[in-house]
Amino acid sequence: MTDREPQPLDVLDDAGRKLLFTEARTANAFAEVPVTDDELTSIWELARWSPSSANGQPLRALFVRTREGKERLVQHLDEGNRAKTLQAPAVAVLAYDVDFHEQMPTVFPARGAMLRAAFADQAGKREVLAAYNSALQTGVFLLAVRAAGLAAGPMAGFDRAGVDEEFFAGTSWRSHLVVNIGHPGADPWFPRLPRVPVEDAVAWA
């Protein structure tokens, strides 16, 4: 046993906090500036480091960039989400893989084979875990978009069954959020809304 001092972690500076948190906004209009494949790849390269239960990593992403792809997508979106999605340079359809357990030997080598076997006949439990953990990963995905110098416009207003049939038929992916991605356009922000007061949201024990 050693008596080594714990190594301090770096602290995010004020500029980083503003970029990721305090001044970050949900964009509702986007500039006509392309989002490159390299930028989208860099977003995923950051997002994939999110925590998840047993490192299961159920989050999956479909990047929609073409006009044809967006037109296929918007027919399944709520009316208020269609125009801005067609305008966005890129759109991520975030999904979870209900068969994430098949990857367990790769992502959790020490116990992966055991976990894959344990989940094999538990489709309901896998669905719950995949939905929960992909939501956790999605929060990190949105931070990754901001870290790439881009704005995100997440939307839950869409027909999930329709999107799944359109893009994921015959697969184990299930859509759960659509995210427009790009540089902010003209008048991109709604007025900043209040946060829940700290005294109503934080408890101490």
XYZ file of all heavy atoms in Angstrom, residues 149-195:
359
model
N -18.401 23.411 -31.365
C -18.659 24.742 -31.879
C -19.936 24.848 -32.683
O -20.098 25.773 -33.487
N -20.861 23.925 -32.451
C -22.121 23.898 -33.172
C -23.281 24.024 -32.188
O -23.102 23.884 -30.984
C -22.244 22.595 -33.965
C -21.186 22.394 -35.050
C -21.155 20.944 -35.511
C -21.440 23.322 -36.227
N -24.461 24.286 -32.724
C -25.660 24.383 -31.902
C -26.536 23.170 -32.141
O -26.566 22.613 -33.247
C -26.428 25.666 -32.230
N -27.261 22.771 -31.101
C -28.151 21.615 -31.186
C -29.592 22.057 -30.979
O -29.861 22.951 -30.171
C -27.771 20.568 -30.142
N -30.495 21.406 -31.686
C -31.923 21.630 -31.506
C -32.620 20.310 -31.282
O -33.136 19.708 -32.223
N -32.633 19.802 -30.041
C -33.258 18.501 -29.770
C -34.779 18.594 -29.819
O -35.368 19.580 -29.391
C -32.760 18.159 -28.359
C -32.436 19.473 -27.738
C -31.990 20.373 -28.840
N -35.416 17.530 -30.340
C -36.872 17.503 -30.496
C -37.397 16.108 -30.182
O -36.912 15.118 -30.721
C -37.261 17.859 -31.937
C -36.778 19.212 -32.415
S -37.065 19.453 -34.183
C -35.979 18.193 -34.869
N -38.414 16.059 -29.321
C -39.083 14.793 -29.020
C -40.408 14.669 -29.765
O -41.062 13.633 -29.676
C -39.319 14.666 -27.514
N -40.810 15.715 -30.493
C -42.097 15.715 -31.171
C -42.054 15.010 -32.516
O -41.920 15.647 -33.573
N -42.163 13.695 -32.488
C -42.182 12.922 -33.727
C -42.799 11.557 -33.476
O -42.939 11.111 -32.335
C -40.771 12.786 -34.321
C -39.799 11.978 -33.497
C -39.568 10.634 -33.770
C -39.095 12.553 -32.449
C -38.670 9.890 -33.028
C -38.191 11.812 -31.695
C -37.982 10.474 -31.987
N -43.171 10.898 -34.548
C -43.776 9.573 -34.503
C -42.653 8.541 -34.477
O -42.044 8.249 -35.513
C -44.675 9.391 -35.721
C -45.273 7.996 -35.829
O -45.104 7.190 -34.887
O -45.899 7.708 -36.867
N -42.390 7.995 -33.318
C -41.269 7.054 -33.186
C -41.477 5.806 -34.040
O -40.535 5.330 -34.690
C -41.080 6.666 -31.717
C -40.632 7.813 -30.827
C -40.271 7.306 -29.445
N -39.880 8.409 -28.567
C -39.367 8.250 -27.367
N -39.182 7.027 -26.887
N -39.036 9.284 -26.623
N -42.677 5.270 -34.012
C -42.929 4.065 -34.809
C -42.709 4.348 -36.292
O -42.164 3.521 -37.027
C -44.349 3.560 -34.557
N -43.125 5.546 -36.745
C -42.929 5.906 -38.142
C -41.466 6.049 -38.504
O -41.017 5.582 -39.567
N -40.691 6.702 -37.633
C -39.255 6.853 -37.879
C -38.570 5.496 -37.878
O -37.703 5.208 -38.725
C -38.630 7.799 -36.834
C -37.097 7.743 -36.894
C -39.109 9.222 -37.049
N -38.952 4.640 -36.943
C -38.332 3.311 -36.878
C -38.622 2.508 -38.139
O -37.740 1.811 -38.663
C -38.835 2.557 -35.646
C -38.316 3.143 -34.347
O -37.428 4.020 -34.399
O -38.794 2.730 -33.279
N -39.844 2.598 -38.635
C -40.195 1.874 -39.860
C -39.454 2.452 -41.059
O -39.010 1.729 -41.947
C -41.705 1.934 -40.082
C -42.186 1.213 -41.338
C -41.928 -0.296 -41.301
O -41.873 -0.862 -40.187
O -41.778 -0.889 -42.393
N -39.313 3.780 -41.069
C -38.667 4.466 -42.193
C -37.176 4.162 -42.280
O -36.628 3.943 -43.367
C -38.881 5.969 -42.056
C -38.400 6.801 -43.233
C -39.312 6.674 -44.441
O -40.546 6.587 -44.267
O -38.773 6.652 -45.567
N -36.502 4.165 -41.132
C -35.041 4.092 -41.139
C -34.459 2.832 -40.496
O -33.342 2.437 -40.832
C -34.457 5.317 -40.421
C -34.671 6.611 -41.133
C -35.687 7.466 -40.739
C -33.877 6.980 -42.210
C -35.896 8.679 -41.388
C -34.074 8.182 -42.871
C -35.090 9.030 -42.465
N -35.178 2.223 -39.562
C -34.588 1.144 -38.772
C -35.319 -0.185 -38.912
O -35.121 -1.085 -38.091
C -34.540 1.541 -37.290
C -33.815 2.833 -37.016
C -34.297 3.733 -36.072
C -32.651 3.162 -37.693
C -33.641 4.915 -35.803
C -31.982 4.351 -37.450
C -32.480 5.230 -36.501
N -36.153 -0.317 -39.927
C -36.909 -1.560 -40.107
C -35.951 -2.751 -40.214
O -34.938 -2.689 -40.911
C -37.781 -1.477 -41.353
N -36.271 -3.823 -39.504
C -35.437 -5.020 -39.540
C -34.200 -4.952 -38.682
O -33.366 -5.861 -38.730
N -34.059 -3.871 -37.888
C -32.907 -3.745 -36.997
C -33.390 -3.735 -35.548
O -34.586 -3.724 -35.277
C -32.117 -2.448 -37.266
O -32.810 -1.335 -36.685
C -31.928 -2.218 -38.765
N -32.450 -3.673 -34.626
C -32.771 -3.609 -33.199
C -32.676 -2.189 -32.657
O -32.656 -1.984 -31.452
C -31.841 -4.539 -32.410
O -30.479 -4.245 -32.680
N -32.611 -1.184 -33.554
C -32.550 0.217 -33.129
C -33.958 0.761 -32.935
O -34.872 0.449 -33.712
C -31.831 1.067 -34.165
C -30.365 0.794 -34.321
C -29.683 -0.325 -33.943
C -29.414 1.658 -34.929
N -28.353 -0.206 -34.268
C -28.157 1.003 -34.883
C -29.489 2.917 -35.508
C -27.001 1.573 -35.394
C -28.329 3.504 -36.026
C -27.100 2.826 -35.961
N -34.132 1.616 -31.899
C -35.406 2.264 -31.608
C -35.149 3.757 -31.390
O -34.403 4.131 -30.490
C -36.057 1.661 -30.351
C -36.234 0.158 -30.380
C -37.304 -0.292 -31.367
N -37.473 -1.747 -31.323
C -36.846 -2.597 -32.129
N -35.983 -2.145 -33.046
N -37.061 -3.895 -32.029
N -35.768 4.612 -32.182
C -35.528 6.053 -32.099
C -36.058 6.628 -30.789
O -37.053 6.144 -30.244
C -36.186 6.763 -33.278
O -37.580 6.524 -33.303
N -35.373 7.667 -30.287
C -35.886 8.320 -29.080
C -35.707 9.827 -29.072
O -36.335 10.514 -28.256
C -35.297 7.690 -27.804
C -33.954 8.204 -27.409
N -33.763 9.079 -26.362
C -32.725 7.972 -27.921
C -32.476 9.348 -26.232
N -31.828 8.696 -27.163
N -34.897 10.415 -29.948
C -34.766 11.866 -30.016
C -34.220 12.248 -31.386
O -33.396 11.526 -31.957
C -33.816 12.372 -28.921
C -33.828 13.871 -28.665
C -35.142 14.297 -27.969
C -32.641 14.313 -27.812
N -34.694 13.384 -31.898
C -34.172 13.954 -33.136
C -33.462 15.252 -32.772
O -34.004 16.070 -32.015
C -35.299 14.211 -34.151
C -34.761 14.928 -35.391
C -35.969 12.897 -34.551
N -32.244 15.454 -33.312
C -31.448 16.628 -32.953
C -30.976 17.325 -34.225
O -30.202 16.756 -35.004
C -30.219 16.236 -32.103
C -29.456 17.491 -31.676
C -30.628 15.424 -30.882
N -31.454 18.555 -34.444
C -30.913 19.373 -35.525
C -29.548 19.906 -35.108
O -29.348 20.284 -33.954
C -31.855 20.531 -35.844
C -33.161 20.072 -36.452
O -33.214 19.043 -37.124
N -34.224 20.823 -36.232
N -28.628 19.967 -36.067
C -27.250 20.372 -35.767
C -26.775 21.363 -36.823
O -26.966 21.140 -38.027
C -26.312 19.149 -35.762
C -26.743 18.144 -34.683
C -24.857 19.574 -35.533
C -25.983 16.825 -34.739
N -26.153 22.451 -36.373
C -25.598 23.416 -37.314
C -25.123 24.663 -36.605
O -25.074 24.735 -35.373
N -24.758 25.665 -37.402
C -24.415 26.974 -36.871
C -25.696 27.794 -36.734
O -26.570 27.722 -37.602
C -23.422 27.682 -37.797
C -22.095 26.994 -37.878
N -21.093 27.214 -36.970
C -21.616 26.081 -38.771
C -20.031 26.472 -37.290
N -20.327 25.776 -38.374
N -25.845 28.559 -35.663
C -27.073 29.337 -35.480
C -27.316 30.281 -36.658
O -26.383 30.888 -37.191
C -26.810 30.123 -34.191
C -25.737 29.356 -33.488
C -24.891 28.743 -34.558
N -28.584 30.379 -37.060
C -28.961 31.277 -38.140
C -29.530 32.574 -37.606
O -29.239 32.998 -36.490
N -30.380 33.228 -38.411
C -30.994 34.480 -38.005
C -32.040 34.222 -36.923
O -32.868 33.330 -37.052
C -31.641 35.157 -39.214
N -31.975 35.012 -35.850
C -32.933 34.927 -34.750
C -33.125 33.477 -34.298
O -34.233 32.944 -34.306
C -34.270 35.528 -35.190
C -35.205 35.771 -34.012
O -34.701 35.896 -32.878
O -36.430 35.804 -34.230
N -32.053 32.816 -33.860
C -32.133 31.380 -33.580
C -32.674 31.016 -32.205
O -33.027 29.864 -31.973
C -30.672 30.938 -33.677
C -29.913 32.142 -33.195
C -30.693 33.335 -33.675
N -32.731 32.003 -31.277
C -33.035 31.649 -29.902
C -34.413 32.169 -29.475
O -34.788 33.290 -29.794
C -32.008 32.245 -28.932
C -30.589 32.258 -29.381
C -29.796 33.345 -29.557
C -29.773 31.125 -29.693
N -28.545 32.974 -29.955
C -28.496 31.612 -30.058
C -29.987 29.744 -29.709
C -27.443 30.778 -30.428
C -28.941 28.913 -30.082
C -27.699 29.418 -30.422
N -35.134 31.360 -28.743
C -36.281 31.863 -27.997
C -35.748 32.603 -26.769
O -34.592 32.407 -26.369
C -37.191 30.715 -27.550
C -37.891 30.020 -28.690
C -38.150 28.660 -28.636
C -38.294 30.727 -29.814
C -38.799 28.014 -29.677
C -38.950 30.103 -30.865
C -39.200 28.744 -30.797
N -36.558 33.461 -26.134
C -36.087 34.122 -24.904
C -35.624 33.095 -23.869
O -36.217 32.028 -23.733
C -37.326 34.892 -24.417
C -38.125 35.129 -25.659
C -37.906 33.912 -26.520
N -34.565 33.449 -23.155
C -34.019 32.562 -22.135
C -35.060 32.338 -21.035
O -35.614 33.295 -20.500
C -32.764 33.191 -21.540
C -32.044 32.333 -20.516
C -31.443 31.118 -21.147
N -30.103 30.846 -20.672
C -29.423 29.756 -20.991
N -29.961 28.848 -21.789
N -28.217 29.557 -20.554
N -35.346 31.097 -20.735
C -36.342 30.772 -19.714
C -35.672 30.554 -18.360
O -34.494 30.169 -18.287
C -37.123 29.521 -20.123
C -37.979 29.685 -21.381
C -38.573 28.342 -21.801
C -39.093 30.701 -21.149
N -36.413 30.781 -17.262
C -35.813 30.635 -15.925
C -35.455 29.186 -15.621
O -35.991 28.245 -16.210
C -36.924 31.128 -14.981
C -37.892 31.872 -15.835
C -37.802 31.261 -17.196
N -34.569 29.015 -14.676
C -34.213 27.708 -14.126
C -34.993 27.502 -12.828
O -35.397 28.449 -12.165
C -32.725 27.609 -13.826
C -31.796 27.965 -14.959
C -31.877 26.946 -16.083
N -32.684 27.423 -17.192
C -32.831 26.782 -18.344
N -32.246 25.619 -18.533
N -33.597 27.293 -19.294
